[in-house]
Amino acid sequence: MDEEAAPKRDKNGPKFHCLPHSTQGSARMGTRKKVHTFVRVKPTDDFAHEMIKYGDDNKSIDIHLKKDTRRGVVNNQQTDWSFKLDGVLHNASQDLVYETVAKDVVAQALDGYNGTIMCYGQTGAGKTYTMTGTTENYKHRGILPRALQQVFRMIEERPTHAITVRVSYLEIYNESLFDLLSTLPYVGPSVTPMTIVENPQGVFIKGLSVHLTSQEEDAFSLLFEGETNRIIASHTMNKNSSRSHCIFTIYVEAHSRTLSDEKYITSKINLVDLAGSERLGKSGSEGRVLKEATYINKSLSFLEQAIIALGDQKREHVPFRQCKLTHALKDSLGGNCNMVLLTNIYGEAAQLEETLSSLRFASRMKLVTTEPAINEKYDAERMVKNLEKELALLKQELAIHDSLANRTLVNYDPMDEIQIAEINSQVRRYLEGTLDEIDIINLRQIQEVFNQFRVVLSQQEQEVESALRRKYTLIDKNDFAAISAVQKAGLVDVDGHLVGEPDGQGFGLGVTPFSAKPGKKSKSKKTFKEQLSSSARKEGASSPVSGKELDVSTSKTQLTPSSKEGDVKDMTIRERETSSLEPLPSDSPKEELRPPRPSTPPPKPVAFEDFKNERGSEINRIFKENKSILNERRKRASETTQRINAIKREMDVTKEALNFQKSLREKQGQVDHVTARHVPCSFTSRRAPPDS
């Protein structure tokens, strides 16, 4: 191909140039777009002009086959095909191919869009030449080195951004992943095999080395290093046939040099050189080359299945995991990137069947849609610095407003422990009444005042609860089992109120409530060993606080007096404390003089009789009524049993008499039906029949 003739053909013929870079907008790229497909025909002296024809717009290609006369007169063989593409490159130079296929994709990558350029076709059709070119002539370099050159030139044109470039080179050989840059001295072979990993950010190859390149020469050195490690073989179709799929990836990360801009963009360009499909009958592959061809054809078949699934809008599942190639290209196939397929075909009549297969693949790929989007991220370090700077400016503005309002110097920094302790002290003094009001300074101080109110309230609740627990046994009102046990013990009535006051002797006796009948003593059904401590008795008899604490039992919990052994005070002290109480008004029914209580509890039989006569009188009455009813029914049952037994005895006597009569008549020779005629009478009469 003549490099100098390319501009002339481009000027007079169809134009393949894309829009200038400055007109590409992110809003237009937000919608879904179809994959761009191009066809490049390998130049040959034996071009099949009668079978392969191009459209006038160079965007379609028609294939015509002659009918096989050996099939007879009736021959429904298809002979014509037409394929609509985005461009047909015939006798095109490397420069024109890059301008048409790859330039716009690479340019948009620096704006944050991912891009993928894939070369597909039959073995020997020129895929590797299109992608990498040759090293003998600089003008014959391929898409890959030209893309690296364009990236670094665009970086020089953007001094306002700090752009870093990294590259990696992956090879998929016989369904195994290899790093073509692992031979570098500072990389070394990987200990663990490489795997394909998916995460919310996309698909990446675990174990694949990524190399930072600061200049174009470093990137070319890495490219040539990877090319020397590729696996190639020779067969009848191609002397230097690639035996593996290779993916060269360029990673771009652009940060603005303006420190206030915390956003930055990332993108990657996948340059895919697929191994060519082979017909084993034509290539004549044997041994290792045959095995490689089997893996290549298998992976390309899975790639086509994935493309067909992506083109069908009704399909929900796309088989990306069938092979390593489709799994590694999951982001590129139908993802958020600009996708371009360049199909390389032969122009000779002998390869027309393979050409048709490649064009069918290109037409299926054209049905696939992608949704390119800018990959924007945020620099956390810059965001923190910008927020700190903005915070400092806001503090300065607040200071200006305070000075204009003639307010004292206000500190807007977070409060330290000393300031928090001072607010806590002010809150406590305000609650005690020693401080009339709390001065409001700023919003942070108001929030802390409310917080300290909550702290003080929580502390007081804990103190009250701990004081109650020291003197009483707290029972949750929702714990019905515990309440039932306390009620059975006679310590709490059915309304949930305490029964009397503790008598100071360590037993659950107590004073009868006002609702009880006058003149009767209320005693508990059961005594407990640990009911009331000496401190509780002392405060309950002399301190008015104990009355308030007893009232708490009607709200959330039930209070049951408790005591400890060996904690009984001297009787003289208790009498002195009792005599020190002020007499209450006589009109209060709760303060009537109570009869003296015995110093020791009554015996169990006496206590039981008292219970039956007082609190258990109703239960005792019901029990006696049920007992009398039971005795009466038992008596009637006994009489009925006696009658039944008498009837049974009569039946036995009658049966014996009948048997005797039967035996007599049998001896006399009488017929049995006479006996049968008298049998029913034996069941209707209680007396034995008379002798015949």
Side-chain angles (χ1 to χ4, degrees):
M1 291 180 291
D2 187 7
E3 187 75 19
E4 298 297 333
K8 184 176 181 180
R9 287 195 296 270
D10 182 49
K11 183 180 297 184
N12 299 328
K15 297 183 182 298
F16 298 97
H17 292 288
C18 297
L19 294 174
H21 170 66
S22 59
T23 61
Q24 303 294 334
S26 59
R28 185 176 65 86
M29 299 298 293
T31 58
R32 299 192 67 86
K33 55 182 293 188
K34 291 186 177 181
V35 174
H36 292 290
T37 57
F38 298 90
V39 172
R40 186 179 189 184
V41 184
K42 184 177 181 179
T44 177
D45 295 333
D46 191 15
F47 186 80
H49 294 281
E50 297 180 356
M51 299 181 179
I52 303 176
K53 294 184 179 180
Y54 309 125
D56 296 335
D57 57 352
N58 269 355
K59 290 187 177 181
S60 62
I61 183 169
D62 299 328
I63 305 296
H64 174 73
L65 285 178
K66 294 182 180 180
K67 285 191 176 182
D68 189 358
T69 57
R70 293 174 295 179
R71 296 189 177 184
V73 179
V74 180
N75 188 355
N76 296 323
Q77 178 186 2
Q78 185 177 355
T79 58
D80 295 290
W81 291 267
S82 181
F83 300 94
K84 187 71 174 178
L85 307 166
D86 292 299
V88 178
L89 301 173
H90 181 57
N91 290 329
S93 63
Q94 293 282 71
D95 185 36
L96 179 59
V97 170
Y98 183 78
E99 291 284 337
T100 305
V101 175
K103 185 176 182 180
D104 187 58
V105 176
V106 176
Q108 292 180 15
L110 270 76
D111 293 333
Y113 295 98
N114 295 334
T116 300
I117 302 172
M118 182 186 300
C119 288
Y120 175 88
Q122 184 186 1
T123 179
K127 298 182 300 300
T128 304
Y129 174 78
T130 301
M131 184 59 66
T132 60
T134 60
T135 57
E136 291 81 6
N137 193 337
Y138 180 74
K139 294 181 179 181
H140 294 167
R141 66 193 188 280
I143 293 176
L144 211 159
R146 292 173 186 267
L148 289 173
Q149 185 180 28
Q150 180 182 353
V151 167
F152 283 99
R153 286 184 178 178
M154 292 184 67
I155 290 175
E156 295 177 356
E157 297 173 358
R158 299 191 179 189
T160 58
H161 288 75
I163 304 176
T164 58
V165 179
R166 295 177 175 84
V167 297
S168 65
Y169 212 165
L170 173 68
E171 181 184 45
I172 304 176
Y173 173 73
N174 291 353
E175 283 300 298
S176 298
L177 304 176
F178 297 95
D179 187 1
L180 293 178
L181 301 179
S182 62
T183 56
L184 294 173
Y186 56 88
V187 177
S190 177
V191 179
T192 58
M194 292 189 297
T195 56
I196 302 174
V197 181
E198 294 187 37
N199 58 13
Q201 286 72 34
V203 178
F204 69 97
I205 311 300
K206 185 178 181 180
L208 181 64
S209 61
V210 180
H211 304 265
L212 178 64
T213 58
S214 57
Q215 52 187 354
E216 185 178 344
E217 290 76 10
D218 297 338
F220 284 148
S221 299
L222 294 173
L223 172 61
F224 296 147
E225 177 70 22
E227 287 294 323
T228 55
N229 294 327
R230 291 186 63 174
I231 298 176
I232 59 175
S234 176
H235 52 76
T236 57
M237 299 290 295
N238 190 0
K239 293 182 180 180
N240 297 315
S241 175
S242 300
R243 314 309 297 167
S244 61
H245 309 296
C246 294
I247 304 175
F248 188 90
T249 306
I250 305 173
Y251 306 90
V252 180
E253 185 174 315
H255 291 262
S256 175
R257 296 188 185 276
T258 305
L259 298 179
S260 60
D261 188 3
E262 63 269 8
K263 289 184 181 180
Y264 70 96
I265 58 174
T266 61
S267 62
K268 63 179 180 179
I269 309 171
N270 290 323
L271 303 170
V272 186
D273 182 14
L274 299 175
S277 59
E278 298 181 17
R279 284 186 179 268
L280 302 181
K282 291 184 178 181
S283 62
S285 301
E286 296 179 353
R288 180 178 63 85
V289 181
L290 176 61
K291 180 181 178 181
E292 294 169 350
T294 304
Y295 276 104
I296 292 171
N297 291 338
K298 183 179 179 181
S299 61
L300 292 177
S301 176
F302 288 144
L303 175 62
E304 189 166 4
Q305 292 179 16
I307 296 302
I308 293 174
L310 287 169
D312 188 359
Q313 301 297 331
K314 297 180 181 180
R315 289 281 294 270
E316 296 181 357
H317 173 70
V318 180
F320 284 118
R321 295 175 177 266
Q322 287 185 330
C323 66
K324 300 291 180 61
L325 176 63
T326 54
H327 198 184
L329 295 176
K330 182 178 179 180
D331 287 345
S332 302
L333 302 174
N336 62 336
C337 72
N338 295 310
M339 179 84 181
V340 177
L341 174 68
L342 180 58
T343 305
N344 296 85
I345 62 173
Y346 278 95
E348 301 173 358
Q351 310 295 337
L352 207 56
E353 291 184 5
E354 289 78 7
T355 298
L356 276 173
S357 177
S358 300
L359 291 174
R360 289 192 190 100
F361 180 85
S363 63
R364 294 189 182 106
M365 179 65 84
K366 192 171 177 60
L367 298 176
V368 178
T369 59
T370 62
E371 190 174 0
I374 299 178
N375 301 303
E376 288 185 345
K377 296 183 179 180
Y378 290 87
D379 191 341
E381 184 177 356
R382 285 193 178 185
M383 287 182 65
V384 171
K385 291 182 178 179
N386 292 337
L387 290 175
E388 290 177 349
K389 185 177 180 181
E390 184 177 0
L391 182 60
L393 292 175
L394 291 175
K395 286 182 178 180
Q396 293 177 3
E397 187 174 353
L398 284 173
I400 294 175
H401 283 286
D402 291 338
S403 61
L404 294 176
N406 295 325
R407 288 195 295 178
T408 58
L409 182 61
V410 180
N411 186 13
Y412 296 98
D413 295 331
M415 294 186 176
D416 53 13
E417 296 181 358
I418 299 176
Q419 293 174 332
I420 295 175
E422 176 62 26
I423 293 178
N424 183 276
S425 176
Q426 293 178 1
V427 170
R428 291 184 181 276
R429 285 185 286 139
Y430 178 79
L431 294 175
E432 293 172 358
T434 58
L435 183 64
D436 295 334
E437 59 183 14
I438 300 176
D439 295 333
I440 300 302
I441 301 175
N442 53 28
L443 180 61
R444 193 188 299 274
Q445 187 247 3
I446 296 175
Q447 294 176 346
E448 189 61 36
V449 166
F450 280 104
N451 185 35
Q452 292 304 317
F453 268 112
R454 184 168 53 190
V455 170
V456 172
L457 177 61
S458 176
Q459 292 177 354
Q460 290 181 351
E461 289 179 349
Q462 293 177 2
E463 292 175 358
V464 171
E465 183 177 356
S466 61
L468 293 176
R469 288 187 182 278
R470 286 195 301 268
K471 293 183 287 186
Y472 302 100
T473 300
L474 302 184
I475 301 175
D476 191 353
K477 296 191 74 172
N478 296 325
D479 190 356
F480 300 105
I483 294 176
S484 177
V486 175
Q487 289 177 351
K488 289 181 179 180
L491 301 178
V492 179
D493 59 11
V494 293
D495 296 330
H497 301 288
L498 291 177
V499 179
E501 297 176 357
D503 64 343
Q505 299 299 324
F507 294 95
L509 300 179
V511 180
T512 306
F514 179 70
S515 60
K517 295 180 180 180
K520 293 185 179 181
K521 300 180 180 178
S522 176
K523 299 181 181 179
S524 64
K525 179 180 178 181
K526 193 175 183 180
T527 61
F528 295 94
K529 187 175 181 179
E530 294 183 3
Q531 290 288 331
L532 185 64
S533 64
S534 60
S535 61
R537 293 196 305 271
K538 179 178 179 180
E539 294 180 13
S542 62
S543 175
V545 180
S546 61
K548 297 179 181 179
E549 291 168 348
L550 289 176
D551 293 337
V552 179
S553 64
T554 61
S555 60
K556 294 183 179 179
T557 58
Q558 299 287 349
L559 304 182
T560 303
S562 62
S563 65
K564 298 180 181 179
E565 293 184 0
D567 198 13
V568 181
K569 298 294 183 179
D570 186 74
M571 181 63 70
T572 307
I573 299 176
R574 286 192 286 105
E575 290 178 354
R576 184 170 61 250
E577 291 176 350
T578 306
S579 62
S580 63
L581 290 173
E582 295 181 2
L584 297 177
S586 60
D587 57 351
S588 176
K590 292 186 179 181
E591 303 302 328
E592 292 179 353
L593 295 178
R594 302 183 179 92
R597 306 183 206 134
S599 59
T600 58
K604 288 185 178 180
V606 177
F608 183 62
E609 291 298 329
D610 292 342
F611 173 75
K612 289 193 297 182
N613 295 329
E614 296 178 3
R615 297 188 60 185
S617 59
E618 183 66 18
I619 298 176
N620 190 28
R621 181 185 63 78
I622 296 173
F623 174 74
K624 289 181 179 180
E625 290 179 357
N626 292 337
K627 186 176 180 181
S628 61
I629 294 172
L630 181 61
N631 292 332
E632 183 181 355
R633 291 181 179 178
R634 187 178 297 172
K635 183 178 180 181
R636 287 187 295 178
S638 179
E639 294 175 354
T640 304
T641 304
Q642 292 176 3
R643 288 199 302 271
I644 292 173
N645 291 333
I647 294 172
K648 179 67 170 55
R649 286 192 296 270
E650 291 180 4
M651 292 174 64
D652 292 338
V653 172
T654 304
K655 185 177 180 181
E656 291 177 358
L658 287 173
N659 292 333
F660 178 74
Q661 291 293 332
K662 182 179 179 181
S663 62
L664 289 177
R665 290 178 182 177
E666 287 178 354
K667 291 178 181 180
Q668 294 174 3
Q670 294 183 1
V671 187
D672 292 339
H673 68 84
V674 177
T675 305
R677 190 168 57 247
H678 290 281
V679 169
C681 299
S682 63
F683 296 100
T684 57
S685 175
R686 296 182 181 179
R687 297 189 300 274
D691 295 336
S692 58

